[in-house]
Amino acid sequence: MSTAAPVWSVDPRTGKPREEVAAEATAEEVDHAVRAAAATRAALADLSVRAVFLRTAADLLDASAEHVVEAADAETALGPTRLTGELARTTAQLRAFAEVVEEGSFLDIRIDHADPSRTPPWPDLRRIKLPLGVVAVYSASNFPLAFSVPGGDTASALAAGCPVVVKAHPDHPATSELCVSLLRRAAARVGLPQDVVSLVHGFTAGVELVRHPLVAAAGFTGSVRGGRALFDAAAARPVPIPFHGELGSLNPVVVTAAAAEERGEAIGTGLGASMTLGAGQFCTKPGFVLAPRGAAGDALIKALTAAVSDTDAGVMLDHRMRDAFVAGVAERAALPGVEAPLTPGAGGEHTVSGGFLTVEAARLTEEGEHDLLLEECFGPVTVVARYADESEISAVLSRLPGNLTATLQLSSAEAAGEGAGAQLLVELTELAGRVLVDGWPTGVAVAPAQHHGGPYPAATSTSTSVGATAVERWLRPVAYQSTPQALLPAALRDDNPLSLPRRVTGPAA
């Protein structure tokens, strides 16, 4: 009988193992976790209990902030300041979904009373959204809290009434174990079964999870390669399931010639801060920039050089990512016509240094070896393509893949409606789920109107993984026709005992 492989916590600052925290889950253990989660569905049906659970989870995470931040920093090297902010975002998100549950409009209740005067006649129809079932959540490496065990996928799924089985990311297993223990403690405190949230480790466990017949949907944040493999597995099941994956993004930025003339230095400085934030490991890092040729563009490049030069070497999330970054930069820098005004790459044995590459935009207007520059390189690097005119901007944009974000830097006159700003905004809107003007994409506000997703490969669906509407991923609509009051779910009865918001049309019976 084979022994399950151990799961080690590793210090990215040294590359050395810290402690053995768990064992990789076997197929039998994954099956047990999913079945135990499925058995809790009825307990999650009570909306008020769901809301209290989410708030209690937030409270316990806040109360354990010192330990959570310490554990996450030891495994990710992201630093206490960044992680303290991330934890605050995570607990705020849990509380925001508690408010979503209490407000109730996410159920999208619609009641159409029978109306024989219509052509054709209407029967009595009552529609509500119901939870799908057990959700598999695949944690991200770069956000060990906000996109991991207690993160947005978990919070929104629980808000929808779906139990969750999380597949831990191997870069922060100890943090994952600590966080899941706090979530399970919160469940017990409010009278829910602890198995409303559980955790499994290991690559095989991740594959078994997406294939399990009782798993009804999955959420993923990670690489294109890993996400696409799981997406394909979800689609290839005897009963396919929704797979909401965030896979990768270049996050293009277009700087107009007028904007560069007006404030090129400020744009270069802002770009340097955004692309190096968190050692360039944000999913919204601006990884590709279209900037004009000429003196104004040169001033932007000079400011960018100064800003990135002032950035210290950083530690990436693990040495595998560090090696991939160094190799990826070297491969791109070796392409004909590519220059490195500030060379990114290895900063030391365990660190990387930020930098950027430049190339003439004309090399990117047609398919060829320079297409590598249009692929995401995870880490503190961006590619600046220098264009001659607006036709080159459009030609390059037409070749970009889907993105989470796209940014347009305009002059004050263009922002007021003059010039090509409006047309460029239309072109960028085709490419991304969030379009920014005169800002930087790093940082994703947890707000009701937020959309964090985009055309493939940024995401595998049209849904968002951040914001109130993220809950919609885990629900399915059901319409009840001509159903007696006594048999209807309470939310659909005429007396509305739960006082939920509803859209009601037609004459009452």
Side-chain angles (χ1 to χ4, degrees):
M1 182 176 177
S2 60
T3 303
V7 174
W8 287 86
S9 172
V10 177
D11 184 348
R13 294 180 172 93
T14 65
K16 295 180 179 179
R18 297 177 57 250
E19 59 177 331
E20 183 179 340
V21 298
E24 294 188 357
T26 63
E28 292 76 14
E29 288 168 333
V30 172
D31 178 64
H32 175 77
V34 174
R35 293 185 183 281
T40 71
R41 291 183 64 184
L44 274 175
D46 189 316
L47 294 174
S48 61
V49 172
R50 273 187 234 170
V52 174
F53 171 38
L54 291 166
R55 287 199 178 91
T56 302
D59 291 344
L60 289 180
L61 284 162
D62 281 339
S64 301
E66 181 179 350
H67 299 298
V68 172
V69 169
E70 181 181 12
D73 181 52
E75 294 186 304
T76 66
L78 290 173
T81 301
R82 148 71 195 272
L83 290 166
T84 298
E86 186 180 332
L87 179 59
R89 168 204 172 96
T90 303
T91 56
Q93 188 165 240
L94 285 161
R95 294 185 179 101
F97 277 114
E99 293 177 4
V100 168
V101 172
E102 288 176 332
E103 191 271 335
S105 63
F106 76 101
L107 296 172
D108 193 23
I109 299 173
R110 298 165 182 259
I111 297 176
D112 294 327
H113 291 293
D115 188 350
S117 68
R118 292 183 178 263
T119 304
W122 281 10
D124 185 274
L125 287 167
R126 298 169 187 242
R127 184 180 187 269
I128 188 172
K129 289 185 176 179
L130 301 176
L132 286 171
V134 178
V135 170
V137 169
Y138 294 81
S139 296
S141 61
N142 56 341
F143 283 86
L145 305 173
F147 284 83
S148 190
V149 174
D153 284 351
T154 298
S156 58
L158 291 170
C162 296
V164 173
V165 179
V166 183
K167 190 274 179 186
H169 196 282
D171 278 355
H172 50 265
T175 307
S176 298
E177 287 287 344
L178 174 57
C179 288
V180 81
S181 71
L182 292 169
L183 294 184
R184 289 170 67 87
R185 190 188 309 170
R189 185 168 292 185
V190 302
L192 287 171
Q194 290 192 336
D195 287 329
V196 294
V197 185
S198 57
L199 185 72
V200 295
H201 296 267
F203 174 82
T204 300
V207 176
E208 292 290 335
L209 193 55
V210 79
R211 291 175 176 169
H212 197 286
L214 292 182
V215 167
F220 172 91
T221 304
S223 69
V224 173
R225 182 180 177 184
R228 184 55 194 256
L230 290 170
F231 177 51
D232 290 346
R237 291 167 38 130
V239 179
I241 59 171
F243 183 90
H244 300 285
E246 179 195 319
L247 309 188
S249 185
L250 199 59
N251 304 303
V253 177
V254 174
V255 182
T256 67
E261 286 281 357
E262 187 174 280
R263 52 189 183 88
E265 190 172 313
I267 292 172
T269 300
L271 172 60
S274 184
M275 58 152 286
T276 58
L277 186 65
Q281 297 174 113
F282 275 54
C283 54
T284 51
K285 179 202 74 175
F288 181 78
V289 182
L290 280 158
R293 294 166 61 180
D298 292 343
L300 185 156
I301 294 293
K302 183 177 179 180
L304 174 61
T305 302
V308 178
S309 296
D310 286 341
T311 303
D312 294 333
V315 176
M316 294 192 72
L317 293 162
D318 63 38
H319 280 58
R320 174 185 56 81
M321 292 183 190
R322 177 190 175 276
D323 293 345
F325 169 73
V326 172
V329 166
E331 186 178 4
R332 288 163 173 77
L335 293 171
V338 174
E339 298 180 358
L342 187 63
T343 305
E349 184 180 359
H350 305 293
T351 60
V352 294
S353 57
F356 63 97
L357 307 174
T358 62
V359 68
E360 294 297 315
R363 291 182 179 269
L364 303 173
T365 57
E366 295 182 1
E367 184 176 352
E369 60 184 337
H370 289 82
D371 285 0
L372 181 63
L373 300 175
L374 306 181
E375 297 178 11
E376 179 184 12
C377 185
F378 193 71
V381 63
T382 196
V383 174
V384 181
R386 307 292 296 273
Y387 64 85
D389 53 37
E390 290 175 5
S391 66
E392 282 190 356
I393 297 178
S394 296
V396 174
L397 291 180
S398 70
R399 302 197 61 246
L400 295 187
N403 292 272
L404 294 170
T405 74
T407 301
L408 184 57
Q409 298 287 344
L410 299 174
S411 69
S412 54
E414 288 170 327
E418 298 179 16
Q423 177 56 37
L424 286 172
L425 195 66
V426 170
E427 293 179 39
L428 289 176
T429 299
E430 293 292 316
L431 294 173
R434 177 164 59 105
V435 182
L436 299 88
V437 176
D438 296 345
W440 297 106
T442 35
V444 185
V446 182
Q450 185 59 272
H451 185 83
H452 190 62
Y456 185 87
T460 60
S461 72
T462 59
S463 301
T464 179
S465 60
V466 178
T469 55
V471 72
E472 295 173 1
R473 296 174 295 170
W474 321 119
L475 299 165
R476 67 181 182 92
V478 175
Y480 293 85
Q481 181 171 328
S482 304
T483 304
Q485 289 284 311
L487 301 182
L488 283 168
L492 296 180
R493 295 173 191 162
D494 285 342
D495 58 354
N496 193 12
L498 302 180
S499 300
L500 293 168
R502 313 192 299 186
R503 173 188 175 276
V504 181
T505 58

